[in-house]
Amino acid sequence: MKSTIKKIVIIVLAVFAALLIGGYLLISSALKREKVQPMDFTQNLDLKKPDPVKDQPSVLFLGNSMTYTNDLPSVFSQLSQSGGFMADVYELTEGSYRLEYFADREDEVGSQVYDALENYTWDYVILQEQSGIATMAEETMYSAARTLDSLIRQAQGEPVFFMTWAFKEGISMDLLAGLKYRESREEMQTEIASHYINIAKELDAMLAPAGIAFMRCTSRFPEIELWDEDENHPSPAGTYLSACVLYNVLYDQSPEGLPYFGDLDEQTAGKLQLIAAGIK
């Protein structure tokens, strides 16, 4: 009996210690993240340009709900056509998916990615990471990005990193012992942006910084609502802005003056085209 009680006590103490250590690490990580210094979102990004520009590119989107909400691939396709580019667009998307899942041949969707990259030809493969991973788990993001980059280049294609946006109100979460963690939109976007910029530079890949376009737009045209009601996913305006950024990056051409407005009025679309045109 005493032996059994002793084992139970040891197990309870071990669990308690694990919780304390886990809580400490979580709080420590959060406190470290509070030191993020917001970047200058107006700075020149020196983006890699397409060489050469392709008039009829085959494009595959890999992403999650940030990509399929409002059907970004379709909006980009129609925007392309309005500018005289006949993009052949496809997508493999799944809710909450991360690049590490797409890079895993054993994953249900990942196996489809391998099939698409090994048996079909793509000029561009758009890579969109899950928002939470893009803020704090760069090793997970980078490892998967390197794997996908290798596969895409073996297939004679080029990867394009699609940088997403911060949550409208940033991050807010409850920690242990009643502590709360807050991170502003600017801080969250800085983390997302820095990780996308770093991996794109490492792999000499193209980058479509939609998240930075969001920040510039909210500063210049605050009347335009870029987020959906959940303050996370894009509104139709946010999706249209993202498509304009992709247009600018993939065709090395300003989207200003394009006649396709999606579900927006001409004035709003024109403002978003202007913001995307300034992404360099």
Side-chain angles (χ1 to χ4, degrees):
M1 177 66 73
K2 289 183 179 180
S3 176
T4 300
I5 294 176
K6 183 177 180 181
K7 288 181 179 179
I8 293 175
V9 170
I10 291 174
I11 292 173
V12 170
L13 289 176
V15 171
F16 182 66
L19 289 173
L20 283 178
I21 294 172
Y24 169 78
L25 292 175
L26 179 61
I27 293 172
S28 177
S29 175
L31 291 177
K32 288 179 181 178
R33 293 176 69 196
E34 282 188 310
K35 299 177 182 179
V36 173
Q37 296 298 317
M39 68 182 289
D40 175 10
F41 298 108
T42 66
Q43 65 182 286
N44 187 348
L45 299 173
D46 191 26
L47 299 177
K48 181 180 179 180
K49 298 181 181 298
D51 183 23
V53 172
K54 299 174 177 62
D55 294 334
Q56 300 180 348
S58 56
V59 183
L60 174 63
F61 282 80
L62 301 182
N64 54 39
S65 55
M66 296 300 190
T67 291
Y68 68 65
T69 295
N70 306 316
D71 200 353
L72 173 60
S74 177
V75 174
F76 170 72
S77 177
Q78 295 180 73
L79 194 69
S80 297
Q81 290 180 33
S82 73
F85 297 97
M86 303 304 294
D88 191 16
V89 178
Y90 296 85
E91 66 173 284
L92 281 173
T93 56
E94 188 69 29
S96 300
Y97 253 52
R98 310 171 179 179
L99 291 185
E100 65 175 309
Y101 300 158
F102 292 123
D104 181 3
R105 189 187 288 271
E106 301 304 314
D107 182 87
E108 181 179 359
V109 180
S111 65
Q112 297 177 51
V113 171
Y114 275 79
D115 176 68
L117 295 179
E118 292 174 347
N119 298 300
Y120 298 88
T121 299
W122 307 98
D123 291 305
Y124 300 114
V125 179
I126 313 298
L127 303 176
Q128 179 247 307
E129 179 60 282
Q130 197 259 7
S131 299
I133 296 299
T135 60
M136 61 183 177
E138 61 267 30
E139 254 330 297
T140 301
M141 174 182 177
Y142 292 177
S143 177
R146 293 175 187 126
T147 298
L148 292 168
D149 175 81
S150 178
L151 291 170
I152 294 166
R153 294 188 190 276
Q154 287 174 24
Q156 306 303 309
E158 186 164 4
V160 180
F161 287 95
F162 173 50
M163 179 200 299
T164 54
W165 42 90
F167 302 155
K168 184 177 181 180
E169 300 301 329
I171 297 175
S172 177
M173 60 182 177
D174 294 328
L175 302 177
L176 297 178
L179 294 177
K180 295 182 180 296
Y181 175 68
R182 300 285 184 271
E183 188 170 86
S184 70
R185 180 198 304 170
E186 290 76 14
E187 290 171 326
M188 183 179 181
Q189 188 62 63
T190 295
E191 292 178 318
I192 292 175
S194 63
H195 293 151
Y196 272 97
I197 290 171
N198 289 343
I199 193 62
K201 286 184 177 178
E202 176 192 321
L203 299 175
D204 189 29
M206 296 175 67
L207 174 68
I212 288 179
F214 267 52
M215 298 303 293
R216 293 185 184 185
C217 187
T218 56
S219 176
R220 185 166 182 180
F221 302 116
E223 71 276 9
I224 300 179
E225 180 54 74
L226 299 176
W227 286 268
D228 199 357
E229 292 181 356
D230 66 3
E231 301 186 341
N232 181 353
H233 292 88
S235 68
T239 295
Y240 184 83
L241 176 58
S242 298
C244 287
V245 170
L246 283 165
Y247 184 97
N248 184 19
V249 169
L250 294 187
Y251 303 127
D252 192 22
Q253 187 176 112
S254 169
E256 291 178 281
L258 293 178
Y260 174 69
F261 308 137
D263 296 327
L264 309 175
D265 61 80
E266 182 175 356
Q267 183 180 26
T268 299
K271 292 177 179 178
L272 297 174
Q273 291 175 359
L274 178 64
I275 292 297
I279 297 293
K280 303 292 184 182

